[in-house]
Amino acid sequence: MSSEVSERGIISTADRQRGVVRIGLPVIQVLIFVAVAIAGVGPLLWLLKSGVSTSQDILSGPMQLWPSGIQLKNIPDAWNRVQIGAYLGNTAFIAIGSMISTLFVCTTGAFVLSVLRPKWGPVVTGAVLATLFLPGVISLVPLYMTVLDMPLLHISLQNTFWAVWLPQAAGAFNILVMKRYFDSIPRELIEAARIDGASNLRLFTSLILPLSKPIVGVVALLTVIGSWKDYLWPLLVLPDPTLQPISVALPRVQKTTEISLQMSALFLAVLIPVILFLLFQKQFLRGVGMAGGIKE
């Protein structure tokens, strides 16, 4: 009975024996795989091809393979002339700072709401949830005015990385996702730790965080990728060109840079998030599916 159930699917065993299905199904699967591969990897490969081509080849034959030969010197030229290294350094610094601040706020906030459960916890949870229904453009102006003149401190955070890190940390979506994962941790483990005399800090660092590694990794990766591609907010709060990330710097320098060097710079900017995902895809997929949760 178990073997019969395991073999069931959309197409029955009898239909699979038919010649049309037996031959047509693999063909359809291959075609779908090729289409998905072209849609996903095709733009990245074209960007790589354009990054090592001349500007004339890109404009005259964008789909041709290097009529004038491969121009590998475009990559070091983009690194030096467009100062991609400096902009990538700013981007990495902003992304790492955003990740640290986001994880600190999300884990501690979710710990209070999910584990400590104060009386006012549902009210705060509802308020955090309500912010998800507000379009980001509505809070853009008030947030910008706050950065220009911090309440109580009366200082401006413009042209400082704090202006990017602090708003990024207060993400309602990440807090709710983290809280949902903390809710799945059995209360028996928490009560057992309290009986053993664990303080709230020890409970947070020695029990909750080790059990939440998958979702922490997902939030960290999403924060880094989101910070890497963010454009509007860094453009507003970092008008100093020496502090701008690569997402802001590349549109600014495109008027004075050859298109071949622009393509090389874009490829270098896209390559790092792709590598990060490939390196941590296992943790990312496990965390999204909550497959790395608590084992009974």
Side-chain angles (χ1 to χ4, degrees), residues 134-202:
L134 297 176
V137 68
I138 294 179
S139 60
L140 187 63
V141 174
L143 189 59
Y144 180 69
M145 299 302 295
T146 303
V147 168
L148 292 181
D149 186 10
M150 290 290 294
L152 301 179
L153 300 178
H154 297 293
I155 59 175
S156 175
L157 297 181
Q158 193 175 34
N159 278 328
T160 66
F161 292 126
W162 290 104
V164 183
W165 293 340
L166 295 181
Q168 183 74 26
F173 175 79
N174 292 331
I175 293 176
L176 294 176
V177 167
M178 196 76 67
K179 178 185 179 299
R180 179 67 182 86
Y181 195 91
F182 287 1
D183 289 340
S184 66
I185 298 177
R187 297 295 298 182
E188 292 80 3
L189 295 177
I190 300 174
E191 296 301 329
R194 292 191 183 279
I195 293 175
D196 290 339
S199 62
N200 289 334
L201 180 61
R202 181 66 181 275

Side-chain angles (χ1 to χ4, degrees), residues 200-275:
N200 289 334
L201 180 61
R202 181 66 181 275
L203 183 66
F204 176 67
T205 57
S206 300
L207 179 64
I208 301 300
L209 286 184
L211 293 177
S212 306
K213 288 181 180 179
I215 195 62
V216 170
V218 169
V219 172
L221 184 59
L222 291 178
T223 302
V224 170
I225 295 178
S227 176
W228 200 276
K229 65 180 183 180
D230 194 13
Y231 172 75
L232 181 58
W233 185 248
L235 176 66
L236 293 176
V237 299
L238 297 176
D240 187 358
T242 61
L243 300 176
Q244 292 176 347
I246 194 168
S247 59
V248 179
L250 285 181
R252 179 175 53 82
V253 301
Q254 66 177 356
K255 295 181 180 180
T256 59
T257 307
E258 300 177 10
I259 189 172
S260 59
L261 298 184
Q262 294 179 32
M263 295 296 105
S264 299
L266 286 173
F267 175 75
L268 293 175
V270 171
L271 185 62
I272 295 179
V274 172
I275 293 176

Side-chain angles (χ1 to χ4, degrees), residues 73-133:
K73 64 182 182 64
N74 287 350
I75 295 179
D77 286 347
W79 187 273
N80 297 322
R81 292 172 54 184
V82 189
Q83 298 181 346
I84 293 300
Y87 296 133
L88 285 176
N90 293 339
T91 308
F93 194 65
I94 291 174
I96 293 174
S98 298
M99 179 191 68
I100 295 174
S101 60
T102 298
L103 290 180
F104 177 78
V105 173
C106 292
T107 53
T108 54
F111 177 76
V112 172
L113 297 175
S114 177
V115 179
L116 300 184
R117 296 182 178 179
K119 294 182 179 180
W120 41 265
V123 177
V124 175
T125 303
V128 173
L129 180 61
T131 60
L132 292 177
F133 296 92

